[in-house]
Amino acid sequence: MLAIADHGLLADGLTSALIGRDGSVAWLCLPRFDSPSAFATLLDPHAGACRFAPADGGLGVQRYVEHTNVLVTRFPQVRVTDWMPARFDGAVAAGFGHGALCRWAEPEGAPEGREMELLCAPRLDYGRQAARWQAGANRIWHADGPTPLWAAASFPLKAGEDDGALRGRATPEAGAPAWFVFGWGPAPAGMDAERLRGSLAATSAGWSNWAAKAKYGGGYRDAVERSALALKALVYAPTGAIIAAPTTSLPEAPGGPRNWDYRYCWPRDATFALYGLSLLGYHDEAGRFLEFIAQIADANPPPLQVCYRVDGSTELEEHELPHLAGYAHSRPVRIGNGAALQRQLDGYGEVLDAAYTYAKWRGGLDLAVWRPLARLVAYAAAHWRQPDESIWEVRGGRQQFVYSKVLCWVALDRGIKLARRHHLPAPVAEWEACRAEIHHEVLHRGYHPGIHAFTQTFDNDCLDSSLLLMPLLRFCSPHDPRMASTIRRIQATLAADSLVARYQNTGDDGVGGPEGAFAICTFWLVDCLTLLGCAEEARARFQRMLGYANPLGLFSEEIDPRTGTMLGNFPQAFTHMALLNSAHNLELYPGGVA
């Protein structure tokens, strides 16, 4: 079993694939991010396999083609280039059906490469349905099913009599590469090396042209660009939705029960992620996502659902898949997410903060977008006193989470500023009174003078790293003695080396079991130290954090503080968003803020 870090990400604006260092397609859902899997050896060795690698085995070294999401895996004497043909408007490149994965092998350092072996054995519906291949015209193979499959190769393929898997062998030579294409949807009339070369060139150009638009002049260009490319890879192009991660059930602790499905769009996560892209000048992505949320809010009265499918639909009923072994035997494997039905009041602030930032950069906000957003502000004003499950989606019952109160304040604050600055209709005086009330309540019930810190919930003494966002969201100054002491208390209590846990786990969060340190919390601490003027300390912590990325520069959700290994779904939009923000803040506030 490969480590989580031993994988690279491919994407086409509709779905994505994880490619392992052993040449395997460890994860691919089709035709969308949130569709059932066709290849899922990441979760079970019998849940669908596609391996194109040297016949005698071994692990390669992975890198991305510069400025792209085109992946190269180098083995001794041979290199494999993987990509997914796409256009960024959400349409698959002509001639590749509804989507495809292209695999291209060439000799490395010698006229002739090693013999390559192909095994292609899709198992649809999360490993429950085997595909049965049949040969067609022009060496195109077909497999019927809910989503028709097709395959083509530069070498002869044969379908196994017992398992129906496609198999073949080829030795790439200089000027004569070995290639394989796995696709879904309508099959092309034929496939050849020239079409693949054109697809590779167009895909590489598309990614690199997009990457070149980034506006960043700081010292972490490589890490920033890779994070931006990872976030772009998680955008579902037809709607502008951005998923939290492309995988499900990668564990927060090996063998534990904290295994969740992240292949959906959380308005909170997406707005944070798109804020990071907007810092780089990618305002179109932010605008499209705001339209996505506005359309959802316009069609459905508040409250917002916690998360949505990539097309905006709401059906996310959580199920367990007992037939799958789970990554590192971590069970249950889940699809769907019960958090969709939770009450999380923080989401309104995050959406309004993104809208406020977008309007500032764009010089205004369309009335058609503002009206549903104003209803979200009104909902936050009417319901901020209610308990909820908040940002960490606890399953131990609703509580009076301080973070949620702060974000309701943010919803009102940004709503007021949007209305005033852009002359938008709103009950501003009413919102101002509510904003002041929330601020007073948080300062008086959310701060514990005995431990000199803001706390996870009203009237308790539990620390929570989400409160590091308070100065970043302009709720209070980082130099406010209460906030400054909170930062240091979290650093002393929840941090180990450069890694920060999300909260003091008292065992009553309704899930149980251990978890790793949350990468995003570490970046939040970097931001707070930056704002405090502790530039050297912040930069050192940021650079240590970069060392936990995999060799491709990708991050998962969590990191095991004992071993430094990745935990949780991968790659994680939240983490890459936080990296972008921290890199930006380190350049913007070298001396802190007043």
Side-chain angles (χ1 to χ4, degrees):
M1 181 189 70
L2 293 179
I4 292 171
D6 287 333
H7 297 87
L9 174 72
L10 305 178
D12 64 1
L14 300 171
T15 189
S16 62
L18 291 184
I19 308 297
R21 289 178 54 213
D22 60 353
S24 65
V25 183
W27 183 252
L28 172 62
C29 298
L30 56 88
R32 305 191 321 196
F33 291 111
D34 55 0
S35 298
S37 63
F39 302 124
T41 52
L42 196 64
L43 297 179
D44 191 296
H46 306 294
C50 181
R51 183 175 179 273
F52 187 45
D56 53 359
L59 298 179
V61 176
Q62 292 184 319
R63 69 167 181 83
Y64 281 113
V65 174
E66 194 174 22
H67 314 309
T68 78
N69 280 320
V70 173
L71 184 67
V72 175
T73 306
R74 279 192 160 90
F75 300 94
Q77 291 183 246
V78 67
R79 67 180 181 273
V80 179
T81 301
D82 290 301
W83 73 96
M84 299 178 75
R87 298 200 310 264
F88 284 165
D89 61 2
V92 176
F96 289 91
H98 290 160
L101 170 63
C102 302
R103 318 203 66 187
W104 179 279
E106 298 175 284
E108 176 87 350
E112 183 177 277
R114 291 157 69 190
E115 184 181 39
M116 299 291 290
E117 181 179 52
L118 170 75
L119 166 68
C120 182
R123 296 290 183 269
L124 303 174
D125 194 23
Y126 304 105
R128 290 180 286 209
Q129 180 182 340
R132 296 295 175 180
W133 293 100
Q134 293 183 338
N138 298 321
R139 299 175 66 178
I140 302 289
W141 289 75
H142 304 266
D144 293 330
T147 301
L149 307 178
W150 57 271
S154 62
F155 47 90
L157 298 176
K158 184 177 181 180
E161 295 181 2
D162 296 329
D163 58 7
L166 287 179
R167 291 179 170 84
R169 291 193 174 216
T171 301
E173 299 177 2
W179 53 263
F180 172 74
V181 181
F182 171 81
W184 47 97
M191 187 63 61
D192 56 34
E194 201 58 36
R195 175 177 288 183
L196 284 176
R197 285 193 180 93
S199 169
L200 176 57
T203 301
S204 299
W207 285 115
S208 60
N209 290 340
W210 185 86
K213 298 176 184 177
K215 298 175 182 177
Y216 175 77
Y220 301 105
R221 177 79 195 188
D222 289 347
V224 164
E225 180 180 271
R226 180 48 51 198
S227 288
L229 285 164
L231 291 175
K232 180 65 173 175
L234 301 181
V235 174
Y236 182 66
T239 62
I242 183 168
I243 60 169
T247 56
T248 181
S249 301
L250 294 185
E252 297 180 18
R258 294 177 179 267
N259 316 313
W260 314 109
D261 190 351
Y262 278 12
R263 298 170 299 144
Y264 311 111
C265 178
W266 273 253
R268 172 189 57 238
D269 296 33
T271 50
F272 277 143
L274 290 165
Y275 176 78
L277 287 177
S278 292
L279 289 174
L280 301 177
Y282 294 112
H283 304 311
D284 289 346
E285 283 76 6
R288 291 209 62 220
F289 177 73
L290 281 177
E291 291 173 2
F292 172 72
I293 291 298
Q295 289 169 3
I296 288 172
D298 208 25
N300 306 280
L304 279 178
Q305 186 164 291
V306 171
C307 49
Y308 296 88
R309 290 194 173 274
V310 294
D311 61 359
S313 59
T314 59
E315 179 51 52
L316 278 87
E317 184 178 354
E318 188 173 295
H319 300 281
E320 295 182 2
L321 300 180
H323 67 284
L324 295 180
Y327 179 86
H329 302 289
S330 304
R331 304 176 80 179
V333 172
R334 295 181 173 95
I335 57 171
N337 200 304
L341 302 180
Q342 290 187 344
R343 178 192 295 154
Q344 294 181 25
L345 296 173
D346 61 293
Y348 304 95
E350 286 128 359
V351 169
L352 265 295
D353 188 50
Y356 170 72
T357 303
Y358 177 77
K360 181 172 63 176
W361 281 323
R362 286 299 202 196
L365 202 64
D366 290 342
L367 197 59
V369 173
W370 166 247
R371 287 195 179 105
L373 292 180
R375 288 196 287 273
L376 300 184
V377 178
Y379 187 88
H383 295 85
W384 72 269
R385 289 187 176 278
Q386 295 181 352
D388 73 338
E389 283 90 356
S390 199
I391 185 174
W392 302 130
E393 302 180 347
V394 297
R395 299 193 176 194
R398 294 172 178 173
Q399 300 183 60
Q400 297 286 356
F401 284 98
V402 173
Y403 179 77
S404 292
K405 312 305 179 190
V406 170
L407 268 292
C408 286
W409 177 92
V410 170
L412 286 153
D413 180 73
R414 302 324 189 251
I416 292 164
K417 290 175 178 175
L418 279 166
R420 287 197 181 280
R421 295 182 183 182
H422 304 292
H423 309 290
L424 299 167
V428 171
E430 178 185 325
W431 288 357
E432 286 178 330
C434 185
R435 179 180 63 177
E437 187 178 5
I438 298 173
H439 199 271
H440 178 272
E441 195 81 352
V442 168
L443 293 183
H444 286 79
R445 294 186 63 193
Y447 180 79
H448 194 300
I451 64 170
H452 306 289
F454 288 103
T455 55
Q456 184 179 60
T457 61
F458 279 169
D459 308 318
N460 86 342
D461 61 358
C462 183
L463 293 172
D464 189 314
S465 291
S466 66
L467 302 177
L468 293 171
L469 283 169
M470 292 171 69
L472 301 172
L473 294 168
R474 305 296 189 264
F475 181 88
C476 60
S477 166
H479 299 289
D480 182 313
R482 292 165 294 194
M483 191 66 236
S485 63
T486 298
I487 295 168
R488 291 306 183 184
R489 285 284 295 175
I490 289 174
Q491 186 175 6
T493 306
L494 298 182
D497 187 36
S498 64
L499 302 172
V500 181
R502 58 180 177 165
Y503 54 77
Q504 290 173 299
N505 193 341
T506 59
D508 58 358
D509 62 5
V511 182
E515 63 183 23
F518 269 60
I520 190 172
C521 298
T522 301
F523 287 118
W524 289 343
L525 179 56
V526 168
D527 292 333
C528 285
L529 294 173
T530 300
L531 297 184
L532 282 172
C534 306
E536 185 175 341
E537 182 182 359
R539 197 171 292 273
R541 187 174 290 273
F542 181 80
Q543 291 178 175
R544 285 201 301 274
M545 190 61 193
L546 294 183
Y548 287 106
N550 81 347
L552 295 168
L554 300 175
F555 281 94
S556 63
E557 181 181 33
E558 301 178 29
I559 298 165
D560 188 328
R562 299 165 301 168
T563 64
T565 56
M566 290 187 177
L567 299 169
N569 286 306
F570 170 86
Q572 183 82 5
F574 229 5
T575 306
H576 285 283
M577 170 280 304
L579 187 156
L580 292 180
N581 292 349
S582 292
H584 175 78
N585 288 333
L586 284 167
E587 301 304 321
L588 189 62
Y589 306 112
V593 296

